[in-house]
Amino acid sequence: MPRLLRALAGLAGFFLVWEVIVQAGLVRKEFLPPPSVVLVTIFEQFGETQFVRDLIATFLAWAIALLIAVAIAVPSGLLLGSIPGLRTATAVVIEFLRPIPAVALIPLVLLLIGGGPEAKITLAVYASLWPIMFNTIYALGEIDPVLLETAKACGTSKFRTLTSVALPHTAPFVFTGVRLSANIALIAVVSTEFLAGAKLGIGNFIMQASTGSTRFDLVLAGTVVVGALGFLINGGLEMIGRRAFRWSTVDREAVS
């Protein structure tokens, strides 16, 4: 059975168990509407302009944040992986910042740059740059020394060694980091929209639905759409990775 069909079969099984639990009366429908109601609500919401705008706002913030994270993390990882002294000097600062959850920085970011789209993009960049940067550093450390010595013995310049040896070797590792960071960025964007009260976004839609009415089907509709968006993003990146790096032996299945 193709991988996509197996994944969809698992998802269908999850919805079936959910439906049975609610229809059997184990959970009150008012608190947990069954998927047969939630899926109809999702279909109806896609006809609402505001919901579509929320979804587009979330997706754009996610895409911008991931691109910025890649632009910061890859050069930083190459520098830190190439210069041991710099890596040692910055290790304490990095290990201090890395465990801090992005949501813990929401008040500080709101004070510094306000509550516009910049806030959720900034926090998503902060949350998602670490896997990319550390995968880049790790990849540089895994380069076969024989390759580097051979390039050096042949008189290859450092720039040429970087572009022809280091970058092709690190690319699959970096892409694995991007896959990991993609869902982290989505979580950060939606969490910030929800907690900071963004004007647009799926997180704001869920927050409004949970506080302004008793329509829990709307809350779950927004939640399911976020899950579906994450599934599609991961699936799309996985397909790109398989085609772009089919020559690589990097175990990309580790993040499937």
Side-chain angles (χ1 to χ4, degrees):
M1 182 184 294
R3 185 181 180 82
L4 178 60
L5 290 181
R6 292 201 302 270
L8 292 177
L11 188 62
F14 171 76
F15 282 127
L16 180 61
V17 171
W18 176 4
E19 181 79 26
V20 170
I21 289 175
V22 177
Q23 297 297 347
L26 299 177
V27 181
R28 291 178 61 181
K29 293 182 180 179
E30 294 83 359
F31 299 147
L32 184 65
S36 56
V37 173
V38 174
L39 294 178
V40 170
T41 302
I42 292 174
F43 180 77
E44 292 173 349
Q45 287 302 311
F46 272 102
E48 298 289 336
T49 303
Q50 184 60 44
F51 183 81
V52 175
R53 290 180 63 196
D54 285 332
L55 182 58
I56 292 173
T58 296
F59 182 80
L60 286 179
W62 166 83
I64 293 171
L66 190 62
L67 287 175
I68 295 174
V70 171
I72 294 174
V74 173
S76 300
L78 290 174
L79 272 177
L80 295 174
S82 304
I83 308 174
L86 180 62
R87 183 177 174 181
T88 302
T90 57
V92 174
V93 176
I94 291 174
E95 293 303 328
F96 171 75
L97 292 174
R98 189 161 65 109
I100 299 175
V103 291
L105 298 175
I106 288 178
L108 178 63
V109 171
L110 291 180
L111 283 174
L112 293 176
I113 62 176
E118 301 86 357
K120 55 185 175 183
I121 292 173
T122 300
L123 290 166
V125 169
Y126 171 82
S128 60
L129 63 84
W130 306 113
I132 304 172
M133 187 171 71
F134 276 90
N135 266 34
T136 306
I137 295 172
Y138 173 79
L140 284 177
E142 289 297 307
I143 297 177
D144 188 347
V146 175
L147 292 176
L148 298 176
E149 291 298 327
T150 303
K152 186 177 181 180
C154 293
T156 307
S157 67
K158 289 185 178 180
F159 180 77
R160 182 69 184 275
T161 302
L162 176 68
T163 57
S164 60
V165 178
L167 288 181
H169 178 83
T170 58
F173 291 88
V174 172
F175 194 80
T176 299
V178 172
R179 279 189 61 198
L180 289 169
S181 294
N183 278 334
I184 293 173
L186 182 62
I187 292 169
V189 167
V190 176
S191 298
T192 305
E193 290 170 346
F194 183 88
L195 295 173
K199 293 181 180 178
L200 284 175
I202 291 296
N204 177 62
F205 172 85
I206 296 172
M207 190 269 289
Q208 295 290 340
S210 62
T211 58
S213 69
T214 56
R215 294 283 306 276
F216 287 101
D217 58 325
L218 290 175
V219 176
L220 290 174
T223 305
V224 170
V225 167
V226 172
L229 182 59
F231 174 80
L232 292 174
I233 288 171
N234 184 66
L237 290 175
E238 184 182 358
M239 184 177 64
I240 293 172
R242 280 203 303 269
R243 293 186 178 182
F245 306 113
R246 61 181 63 182
W247 47 268
S248 173
T249 58
V250 175
D251 185 13
R252 294 185 295 274
E253 297 297 322
V255 295
S256 298

Coordinates of all heavy atoms in Angstrom, one line a residue, residues 41 45 48 50-52 54-55 58 193-194 198-211 215 217-223 225:
T41 N -18.7 21.3 9.4 CA -18.4 22.7 9.7 C -17.2 23.2 9.0 O -17.2 24.4 8.5 CB -18.1 22.8 11.3 OG1 -19.3 22.3 12.0 CG2 -17.9 24.2 11.7
Q45 N -17.1 26.5 6.6 CA -16.2 27.6 6.9 C -15.4 28.0 5.7 O -15.0 29.1 5.5 CB -15.3 27.2 8.0 CG -15.9 27.2 9.4 CD -16.6 28.6 9.7 OE1 -16.0 29.6 9.6 NE2 -17.9 28.5 10.1
E48 N -16.7 30.8 4.0 CA -16.6 32.1 4.7 C -15.4 32.8 4.4 O -14.3 32.3 4.5 CB -16.7 31.9 6.2 CG -18.0 31.2 6.7 CD -19.2 32.1 6.5 OE1 -19.0 33.3 6.5 OE2 -20.4 31.6 6.4
Q50 N -13.9 35.3 5.9 CA -13.0 35.6 7.1 C -12.2 34.3 7.4 O -11.0 34.5 7.7 CB -13.9 36.0 8.3 CG -13.1 36.3 9.5 CD -12.1 37.5 9.2 OE1 -12.5 38.5 8.6 NE2 -10.9 37.4 9.7
F51 N -12.8 33.1 7.3 CA -12.0 31.9 7.6 C -10.9 31.7 6.6 O -9.7 31.4 7.0 CB -12.9 30.7 7.6 CG -12.3 29.4 8.0 CD1 -12.0 29.1 9.3 CD2 -11.8 28.5 7.0 CE1 -11.4 27.9 9.7 CE2 -11.2 27.4 7.3 CZ -11.0 27.1 8.7
V52 N -11.2 32.0 5.4 CA -10.1 31.8 4.3 C -9.0 32.8 4.5 O -7.8 32.5 4.4 CB -10.8 32.0 2.9 CG1 -9.7 32.0 1.8 CG2 -11.8 30.9 2.7
D54 N -8.2 34.1 7.4 CA -7.4 33.6 8.6 C -6.4 32.5 8.2 O -5.2 32.5 8.6 CB -8.3 33.0 9.7 CG -9.1 34.1 10.4 OD1 -8.5 35.2 10.5 OD2 -10.2 33.9 10.9
L55 N -6.9 31.6 7.3 CA -6.0 30.5 6.9 C -4.8 31.0 6.1 O -3.7 30.6 6.3 CB -6.8 29.5 6.1 CG -6.1 28.2 5.6 CD1 -5.5 27.5 6.8 CD2 -7.0 27.3 4.8
T58 N -2.2 32.7 8.4 CA -1.4 31.8 9.1 C -0.4 31.2 8.2 O 0.8 31.0 8.5 CB -2.3 30.7 9.7 OG1 -3.2 31.2 10.7 CG2 -1.5 29.6 10.4
E193 N -0.9 33.5 17.6 CA -2.2 34.0 17.2 C -3.2 33.8 18.3 O -4.1 34.7 18.6 CB -2.6 33.4 15.9 CG -1.8 33.8 14.7 CD -2.2 32.9 13.5 OE1 -2.9 31.9 13.7 OE2 -1.8 33.3 12.4
F194 N -3.2 32.6 18.9 CA -4.1 32.3 20.0 C -3.9 33.1 21.3 O -4.8 33.7 21.8 CB -4.1 30.8 20.3 CG -5.1 30.3 21.3 CD1 -6.4 29.9 20.8 CD2 -4.8 30.2 22.6 CE1 -7.3 29.5 21.7 CE2 -5.7 29.8 23.5 CZ -7.0 29.4 23.1
A198 N -4.1 37.8 17.8 CA -3.8 38.4 16.5 C -5.1 38.8 15.8 O -6.2 38.2 16.1 CB -3.0 37.4 15.7
K199 N -5.0 39.7 14.9 CA -6.2 40.2 14.2 C -6.7 39.1 13.2 O -7.8 39.0 12.9 CB -6.0 41.5 13.5 CG -5.8 42.7 14.5 CD -5.6 44.0 13.8 CE -5.4 45.1 14.8 NZ -5.1 46.4 14.1
L200 N -5.7 38.4 12.6 CA -6.0 37.4 11.6 C -5.2 36.1 11.9 O -4.1 36.2 12.5 CB -5.6 37.9 10.2 CG -6.5 38.9 9.5 CD1 -5.8 39.3 8.2 CD2 -7.8 38.3 9.2
G201 N -5.7 35.0 11.5 CA -5.0 33.7 11.7 C -5.9 32.7 12.3 O -6.9 33.0 12.9
I202 N -5.6 31.4 12.0 CA -6.4 30.3 12.5 C -6.4 30.3 14.1 O -7.4 29.9 14.7 CB -5.8 29.0 12.0 CG1 -6.1 28.9 10.4 CG2 -6.5 27.8 12.6 CD1 -7.6 28.9 10.1
G203 N -5.2 30.6 14.6 CA -5.2 30.7 16.1 C -6.2 31.7 16.7 O -6.9 31.4 17.7
N204 N -6.3 32.8 16.0 CA -7.3 33.8 16.4 C -8.7 33.3 16.2 O -9.6 33.5 17.0 CB -7.1 35.1 15.6 CG -8.2 36.1 16.0 OD1 -8.3 36.6 17.1 ND2 -9.0 36.5 15.0
F205 N -8.9 32.5 15.1 CA -10.3 31.9 14.8 C -10.6 31.0 16.0 O -11.8 31.0 16.5 CB -10.2 31.2 13.5 CG -11.5 30.4 13.2 CD1 -12.6 31.0 12.6 CD2 -11.5 29.0 13.5 CE1 -13.7 30.2 12.4 CE2 -12.6 28.3 13.2 CZ -13.7 28.9 12.7
I206 N -9.7 30.1 16.4 CA -9.9 29.2 17.5 C -10.2 29.9 18.8 O -11.2 29.5 19.5 CB -8.8 28.2 17.6 CG1 -8.6 27.4 16.4 CG2 -8.9 27.3 18.9 CD1 -7.3 26.5 16.4
M207 N -9.5 31.0 19.0 CA -9.6 31.7 20.3 C -11.0 32.4 20.3 O -11.7 32.3 21.3 CB -8.5 32.8 20.4 CG -8.4 33.5 21.7 SD -9.4 35.0 21.8 CE -8.4 36.0 20.7
Q208 N -11.4 33.0 19.2 CA -12.7 33.7 19.1 C -13.9 32.6 19.3 O -14.8 32.9 19.9 CB -12.9 34.4 17.8 CG -11.9 35.6 17.6 CD -12.2 36.7 18.5 OE1 -13.4 36.8 19.0 NE2 -11.3 37.6 18.7
A209 N -13.7 31.5 18.6 CA -14.7 30.4 18.7 C -14.9 29.9 20.1 O -16.0 29.5 20.5 CB -14.4 29.3 17.7
S210 N -13.8 29.8 20.8 CA -13.8 29.2 22.2 C -14.3 30.2 23.2 O -14.7 29.8 24.3 CB -12.4 28.7 22.6 OG -11.5 29.8 22.6
T211 N -14.2 31.5 23.0 CA -14.6 32.5 24.0 C -15.9 33.2 23.6 O -16.6 33.7 24.5 CB -13.5 33.5 24.2 OG1 -13.3 34.2 22.9 CG2 -12.2 32.9 24.7
R215 N -19.9 27.1 20.3 CA -19.7 26.4 19.1 C -18.4 25.6 19.1 O -17.4 26.0 18.5 CB -19.8 27.3 17.9 CG -21.2 27.9 17.6 CD -22.1 26.9 17.0 NE -21.6 26.3 15.8 CZ -21.7 26.8 14.6 NH1 -22.2 28.0 14.4 NH2 -21.2 26.2 13.5
D217 N -17.8 22.9 17.7 CA -17.5 22.4 16.4 C -16.6 23.4 15.6 O -15.8 23.0 14.9 CB -18.8 22.1 15.6 CG -19.7 23.4 15.5 OD1 -19.7 24.2 16.4 OD2 -20.3 23.6 14.4
L218 N -16.8 24.7 15.9 CA -15.9 25.7 15.3 C -14.5 25.6 15.8 O -13.5 25.7 15.1 CB -16.4 27.1 15.5 CG -17.7 27.5 14.7 CD1 -18.2 28.9 15.2 CD2 -17.5 27.4 13.2
V219 N -14.4 25.4 17.1 CA -13.1 25.2 17.8 C -12.3 24.0 17.2 O -11.2 24.1 16.8 CB -13.2 25.1 19.3 CG1 -11.8 24.8 19.9 CG2 -13.8 26.3 19.9
L220 N -13.1 22.9 17.1 CA -12.4 21.7 16.5 C -12.2 21.8 15.0 O -11.2 21.2 14.5 CB -13.3 20.5 16.8 CG -13.4 20.1 18.3 CD1 -14.4 19.0 18.6 CD2 -12.0 19.6 18.8
A221 N -13.0 22.5 14.4 CA -12.8 22.7 12.9 C -11.5 23.5 12.7 O -10.7 23.1 11.8 CB -14.0 23.5 12.3
G222 N -11.3 24.5 13.5 CA -10.0 25.2 13.3 C -8.8 24.3 13.7 O -7.8 24.3 13.0
T223 N -9.0 23.5 14.8 CA -7.9 22.6 15.2 C -7.6 21.6 14.1 O -6.4 21.3 13.8 CB -8.3 21.9 16.5 OG1 -8.7 22.9 17.5 CG2 -7.2 21.1 17.0
V225 N -8.1 21.8 10.9 CA -7.5 22.5 9.8 C -6.0 22.7 10.0 O -5.2 22.5 9.1 CB -8.3 23.8 9.5 CG1 -7.4 24.6 8.5 CG2 -9.6 23.5 8.9

